Amino acid sequence: MKARFTLLPGDGIGPEIVDQARAVLDAVAARFSHSFVYDTQLIGGIAIDETGDPLPQGTIASARESDAIILGAVGGPQWDDPTAKTRPETGLLRIRKDLELFANLRPVRTHVQLLDASPLRRDLIEGVDILFYRELTGGIYFGETTTSEDGLTVSNAMTYSVYEIERIVRMAAEAARTRRGKLTSVDKANVLAVSRLWRQTADRIMATEFQDVEHETVLVDAMAMHLLSRAKDFDVVVTGNMFGDILTDEASMLPGSLGLLPSASLGSSGPGLYEPIHGSAPDIAGKGIANPLATILATAMALRHSLGLAAEAAAVEAAVDKALDDGLRTVDIARGEESVSTSTMGGAVAASI
Ligand code: IPM
Ligand code: MG
C-alpha cells in the first residue's frame, strides 16, 4: 500500500529518535512491499524560532493530509520564559485539539528482558499489561483560564461534558472487550463535581452498554498507590486528561524507563498521532544516546491503528524484542553496564525487520 506520514521531530532528542522511527518504517516498506512517503514539518520550540508559531499552518495542513503523524517531542529550557507569548507545548496541545484526537492510548507492558531495569521488585512487575485511555482534548488542559485584574490570582477550570466522557469510556470499554474484559475508571469524585459527572456517566455507559465488561472505579490518589503495589490487577484504565498524564509517567517506571513507552492519539476518524510518552530530554539532546524504542513502538501503533497493517506492526514489535534479547541497551536501561547509541539501537531494529 501507499501511505503518507507527517514527521514532526520537534525539539531536544526529537530529531534523533524520529530518524530511527523513519529508518524502521523504511525497513517495513522494503520488507512488505509498501510505499511510504514522508513530509517533515515544524512543531514546538523550533517552530517558534523559525516562524513565531509552535504549530505553523503548513504543519497542520500536512498532518490533515497524512495517514499518520509521528512526533518526537517538544519543549526545552530556552523556551521556558514564563512571560513568553507562546510555548512549545502549545503546539502539541493545539494539534491534538485541532485534529480532535480525544483518545490517548498508552500501553504499559513490562518486557521480560528488562525486569531488572525497573526500580520496582520483579514480583510486582512481572506480567504487568495495562492499557491506559487518557482523555486528551478536554479537562483542565483546555478549561477556561482566568487571571484577576491585579494578576495575583489565576485559575484553570477542569471541565468535562457528558459527551466527552461517553466517547472515551466507550472506546476504552471496547478495548477491554478484546483484552481481559476489565475496565477501571479513575477520578476524584469524593472532591470534584466534574469527577462526579465522570463517574455517573461511566457507570451508566458500563451498565447499559457493556454488561459483559467488569467495571470498577478508583480514586486517583489510591490509583497512584495501586500502580506500585498491585499493577497486575489492571487491564484497561480510563481517566481524564491530567490524571492520565500523571499516572502514565508513574506507570512508566513499571517497565523501567520512560524511553520504552509509546502512545497513540486517536479521534473518531482521520489520521492518528503517534509519539513516545517521554519529553524532549534537553539534557541528553544531540548526544546520540536517547532510547529510540518508545518512538519505534509508536510507529508500530501507527501501522496497526491508522494503516490497518497488523502483521507489519507485529514485525516491528518482534524486532524490538529481538534487539533487547540480543542484549542491546541504551543508557537509560543499561543499569550502568555497556550501552549502545540511539542509531545502533534503531539500526538493529530496522535490520532485523
Ligand atoms: C505528555 C506530555 C504533554 C502533556 C506535554 C508536553 C504538553 O507531558 O504527552 O504526556 O502534558 O500532555
Ligand atoms: Mg506527560
Side-chain angles (χ1 to χ4, degrees), residues 5-22 38-47 59 69-75 79 92 273-276 278-281 295:
F5 291 87
T6 294
L7 303 181
L8 306 177
D11 307 318
I13 58 172
E16 301 161 54
I17 55 182
V18 169
D19 271 353
Q20 299 311 313
R22 180 182 172 152
Y38 310 99
D39 183 28
T40 301
Q41 294 283 341
L42 297 169
I43 194 167
I46 187 173
T59 299
I69 305 148
I70 309 285
L71 181 129
V74 297
W79 302 286
L92 181 55
L273 178 125
Y274 301 86
E275 55 174 318
H278 62 69
S280 59
T295 315

Side-chain angles (χ1 to χ4, degrees), residues 71 73-75 88-93 96 104 106 134-136 141-142 241-242 244-246 248-249 263 265 275-280:
L71 181 129
V74 297
E89 291 80 1
T90 308
L92 181 55
L93 297 179
R96 290 171 176 171
N104 185 217
R106 296 186 162 189
R134 168 191 176 196
E135 200 291 329
L136 201 60
Y141 274 55
F142 293 95
N241 206 341
M242 188 159 75
D245 179 45
I246 298 168
T248 53
D249 262 35
S263 89
S265 303
E275 55 174 318
I277 87 157
H278 62 69
S280 59

Side-chain angles (χ1 to χ4, degrees), residues 99-328:
L99 300 179
E100 262 203 83
L101 305 172
F102 65 86
N104 185 217
L105 284 59
R106 296 186 162 189
V108 176
R109 222 171 277 128
T110 49
H111 298 260
V112 281
Q113 307 91 334
L114 296 178
L115 288 175
D116 295 321
S118 172
L120 295 167
R121 260 191 357 246
R122 187 181 252 270
D123 58 301
L124 291 173
I125 57 171
E126 213 159 13
V128 165
D129 182 3
I130 307 175
L131 178 55
F132 283 88
Y133 272 73
R134 168 191 176 196
E135 200 291 329
L136 201 60
T137 52
I140 196 166
Y141 274 55
F142 293 95
E144 198 190 343
T145 304
T146 61
T147 306
S148 66
E149 240 160 69
D150 59 11
L152 297 179
T153 307
V154 174
S155 72
N156 291 98
M158 189 187 284
T159 306
Y160 271 115
S161 61
V162 166
Y163 163 73
E164 291 173 301
I165 304 164
E166 282 178 352
R167 64 181 179 177
I168 186 81
V169 168
R170 280 200 182 101
M171 219 182 197
E174 297 282 358
R177 233 174 217 164
T178 68
R179 292 169 48 101
R180 303 196 302 279
K182 180 172 169 192
L183 181 73
T184 303
S185 175
V186 177
D187 62 37
K188 187 71 185 174
N190 55 346
V191 174
L192 303 175
V194 61
S195 280
R196 289 192 281 276
L197 181 69
W198 182 284
R199 186 174 291 201
Q200 247 173 30
T201 307
D203 285 350
R204 173 173 50 77
I205 295 290
M206 297 310 293
T208 53
E209 298 173 30
F210 295 93
Q211 280 137 354
D212 54 320
V213 177
E214 186 191 337
H215 168 227
E216 65 172 0
T217 295
V218 179
L219 294 171
V220 62
D221 48 350
M223 188 66 186
M225 177 179 67
H226 297 324
L227 279 176
L228 301 184
S229 59
R230 52 178 193 93
K232 277 180 246 192
D233 292 350
F234 301 102
D235 178 15
V236 178
V237 175
V238 65
T239 190
N241 206 341
M242 188 159 75
F243 297 159
D245 179 45
I246 298 168
L247 291 177
T248 53
D249 262 35
E250 185 193 1
S252 77
M253 284 296 107
L254 300 164
S257 172
L258 213 45
L260 296 167
L261 294 199
S263 89
S265 303
L266 309 176
S268 31
S269 61
L273 178 125
Y274 301 86
E275 55 174 318
I277 87 157
H278 62 69
S280 59
D283 52 323
I284 59 163
K287 294 191 179 158
I289 59 171
N291 187 345
L293 294 182
T295 315
I296 289 171
L297 290 168
T299 66
M301 294 185 86
L303 294 167
R304 180 175 293 120
H305 294 284
S306 283
L307 306 182
L309 299 176
E312 287 80 344
V316 172
E317 287 158 354
V320 166
D321 266 334
K322 170 146 195 324
L324 293 173
D325 282 340
D326 291 346
L328 297 186

